[in-house]
């Protein structure tokens, strides 16, 4: 049984977050408008309305970051009335549900599937593309997991399984070990990938015991999710180090978010910090047109300009790919700033990161 811990005092000095068990931190999460209002100056009634539709969870660790850093972290975790604005976006624009052959599996590409193994997260991000699903109280049971495994076992073209959710690492060590052992027993599954945000929202989840389990089921890759350098605390850094030193390559999927990371300095700082902790920037995601998230969208033109502010100005290791996920289940494609200015009969005219023009032979 997880013990509940007292919520934190408002003033926390740097890095003084107590060393607490992750299950206790989950149990101590803020879930209601009243609990939140006791810690942050917020409009209680508006928040209550939003939570009725889209659940809130802010665990004490992430609350301490919000209290310390304010806006860029608050905006990600604290519900806001704009989530209820009606526009033409849909709950599931990517048609994940149509591309789901069995519950919990999204099979969009020939060689890989997403396997949703948890619908809980350590914090419910207000911009989540699976807002329609996460945090509602229907835990994913053994039967659903078995069905997913059966589908993967029966589908020989699947070379890679991406565990996602919700957050797969909110499963217990024993459950994860069971899942991974079952996946590894399937001969055609070459690669296992885990998509998890706990490195930024609940780094206490990453323990030496978990690292030891994950390291037994390689080749296994972990992609995490940081949106702002303020999330890279000593605790987060330690969590990443545990996995990297256990031989697990780590990448990061960042979501481009208005009011959080939509500036060259914020993005550059984030990417540099990621590389410094040995987490390779993988994708910078354009926000999907998901209902309840319009206030986070950054125009594509601005996204392209931001990519231009990275490429060439900093190490190629720091540059993720800027991705859009096509509506209707078309899949992801990268967007590149317009480096090719003209295509002639024999040459292309290109522009470098300093805005200088060059001619380059076509053949
Ligand atoms: C994003 C995604 C993947 C993984 O795509 P990569 O480009 O390999 O990272 C796989 N399946 C679905 C349904 C996805 O949305
Ligand atoms: S951790 Fe991921 S799945 Fe969970 S709410 Fe945040 S974005 Fe959504």
């Amino acid at each position: 049984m997880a013990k509940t811990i007292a919520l934190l005092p408002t003033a926390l000095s740097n890095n003084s977050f107590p060393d607490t068990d992750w299950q206790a931190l989950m149990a101590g999460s803020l879930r209601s408008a009243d609990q939140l209002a006791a810690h942050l100056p917020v409009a209680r009634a508006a928040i209550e309305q939003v939570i009725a539709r889209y659940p809130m969870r802010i665990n004490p660790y992430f609350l301490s970051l919000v209290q310390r850093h304010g806006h860029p972290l608050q905006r990600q975790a604290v519900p806001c009335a704009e989530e209820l604005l009606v526009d033409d976006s849909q709950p599931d624009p990517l048609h994940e549900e149509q591309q789901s052959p069995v519950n919990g599996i999204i099979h969009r590409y020939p060689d890989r599937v997403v396997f949703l193994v948890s619908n809980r997260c350590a914090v419910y991000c207000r911009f989540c593309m699976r807002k329609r699903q996460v945090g509602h109280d229907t835990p994913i049971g053994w039967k659903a997991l078995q069905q997913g495994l059966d589908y993967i076992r029966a589908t020989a073209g699947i070379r890679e399984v991406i565990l996602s959710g919700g957050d797969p690492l909110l499963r217990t060590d024993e459950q994860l070990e069971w899942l991974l052992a079952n996946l590894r027993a399937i001969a055609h599954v070459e690669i296992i990938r885990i998509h998890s945000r706990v490195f930024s929202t609940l780094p206490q989840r990453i323990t030496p015991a978990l690292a030891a389990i994950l390291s037994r089921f390689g080749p296994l890759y972990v992609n995490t999710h940081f949106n702002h350098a303020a999330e890279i605390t000593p605790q987060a850094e330690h969590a990443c180090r545990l996995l990297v030193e256990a031989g697990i390559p780590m990448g990061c999927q960042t979501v481009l978010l208005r009011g959080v990371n939509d500036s060259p300095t914020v993005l550059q700082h984030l990417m540099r910090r990621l590389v410094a902790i040995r987490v390779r920037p993988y994708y910078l995601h354009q926000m999907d047109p998901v209902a309840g998230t319009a206030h986070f969208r950054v125009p594509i033109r601005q996204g392209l300009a931001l990519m231009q502010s990275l490429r060439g100005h900093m190490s190629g290791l720091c540059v993720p790919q800027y991705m859009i996920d096509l509506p209707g289940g078309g899949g992801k494609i990268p967007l590149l700033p317009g480096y090719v200015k003209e295509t002639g009969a024999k040459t292309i005219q290109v522009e470098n990161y300093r805005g200088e023009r060059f001619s380059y032979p076509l053949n």
Side-chain angles (χ1 to χ4, degrees):
M1 260 300 281
K3 52 193 184 309
T4 41
I5 61 154
L7 287 166
L8 296 164
T10 302
L12 264 178
S13 62
N14 263 355
N15 310 330
S16 67
F17 195 82
D19 205 6
T20 311
D21 166 59
W22 70 275
Q23 311 235 29
L25 288 168
M26 283 295 283
S29 296
L30 308 179
R31 314 280 324 258
S32 72
D34 283 337
Q35 291 170 330
L36 184 65
H39 294 271
L40 293 171
V42 291
R44 212 190 49 80
I47 285 186
E48 212 153 61
Q49 275 193 332
V50 177
I51 296 179
R53 173 96 173 266
Y54 301 119
M56 174 185 80
R57 178 190 286 281
I58 305 177
N59 70 60
Y61 168 77
F62 205 79
L63 176 65
S64 76
L65 298 193
V66 170
Q67 288 170 329
R68 200 182 308 150
H69 299 285
H71 188 69
L73 302 200
Q74 172 149 348
R75 193 164 160 76
Q76 294 185 60
V78 172
C80 143
E82 286 171 285
E83 293 174 48
L84 298 178
L85 292 181
V86 176
D87 59 14
D88 53 6
S89 49
Q90 303 156 26
D92 180 23
L94 306 180
H95 290 187
E96 292 191 330
E97 283 161 28
Q98 279 99 311
Q99 291 179 332
S100 176
V102 298
N103 245 344
I105 295 275
I106 309 166
H107 197 170
R108 173 173 301 155
Y109 298 108
D111 71 335
R112 56 207 190 280
V113 291
V114 169
F115 188 6
L116 305 174
V117 299
S118 161
N119 54 17
R120 290 203 309 162
C121 300
V123 167
Y124 291 125
C125 310
R126 307 323 297 175
F127 53 83
C128 180
M129 53 111 47
R130 299 209 179 102
K131 229 173 147 76
R132 66 182 190 280
Q133 286 180 335
V134 298
H136 295 289
D137 282 330
T138 42
I140 296 175
W142 290 111
K143 218 170 134 202
L145 295 181
Q146 287 284 7
Q147 276 179 359
L149 286 169
D150 289 344
Y151 177 82
I152 294 166
R153 221 175 267 124
T155 313
I158 300 172
R159 289 161 171 271
E160 177 172 353
V161 175
I162 302 165
L163 301 181
S164 183
D167 203 309
L169 294 186
L170 290 186
R171 289 275 175 186
T172 63
D173 287 4
E174 293 71 27
Q175 292 167 345
L176 285 167
E177 190 169 12
W178 176 88
L179 256 172
L180 293 170
N182 273 278
L183 285 171
R184 264 289 156 251
I186 303 171
H188 55 264
V189 174
E190 294 167 9
I191 306 291
I192 299 173
R193 196 197 310 180
I194 295 179
H195 280 179
S196 168
R197 208 190 164 187
V198 296
F199 298 83
S200 51
T201 53
L202 187 67
Q204 294 78 1
R205 172 64 187 101
I206 309 301
T207 57
L210 178 64
I213 292 171
L214 299 183
S215 73
R216 282 174 32 220
F217 297 101
L220 183 150
Y221 289 72
V222 170
N223 265 359
T224 183
H225 175 172
F226 286 93
N227 295 324
H228 194 282
E231 294 160 10
I232 306 180
T233 60
Q235 291 88 342
E237 199 170 338
H238 177 70
C240 296
R241 185 183 313 123
L242 280 176
L243 291 207
V244 170
E245 289 179 0
I248 296 163
M250 289 202 56
C252 179
Q253 308 203 150
T254 296
V255 182
L256 181 56
L257 298 168
R258 195 161 102 207
V260 174
N261 56 19
D262 56 341
S263 90
T265 33
V266 169
L267 266 191
Q268 287 170 355
H269 184 45
L270 170 63
M271 299 306 161
R272 285 215 165 90
R273 285 286 292 134
L274 287 171
V275 171
I277 63 167
R278 291 179 285 179
V279 174
R280 173 76 161 90
Y282 179 65
Y283 286 164
L284 176 67
H285 288 284
Q286 175 69 10
M287 282 280 307
D288 299 311
V290 167
T293 64
H295 53 297
F296 283 109
R297 285 176 65 79
V298 175
I300 297 260
R301 269 180 220 285
Q302 192 188 340
L304 288 168
L306 286 166
M307 286 304 295
Q308 239 170 331
S309 77
L310 304 181
R311 171 68 64 195
H313 298 276
M314 55 199 314
S315 162
L317 289 174
C318 297
V319 184
Q321 293 202 73
Y322 181 36
M323 303 299 281
I324 57 175
D325 212 336
L326 301 175
K332 294 184 188 68
I333 59 163
L335 295 185
L336 271 179
Y339 292 108
V340 178
K341 295 296 176 189
E342 275 177 58
T343 305
K346 297 217 160 124
T347 58
I348 49 172
Q349 301 298 313
V350 295
E351 194 175 281
N352 75 359
Y353 73 102
R354 285 198 295 256
E356 299 156 343
R357 293 284 176 114
F358 296 81
S359 176
Y360 195 90
L362 270 174
N363 294 302

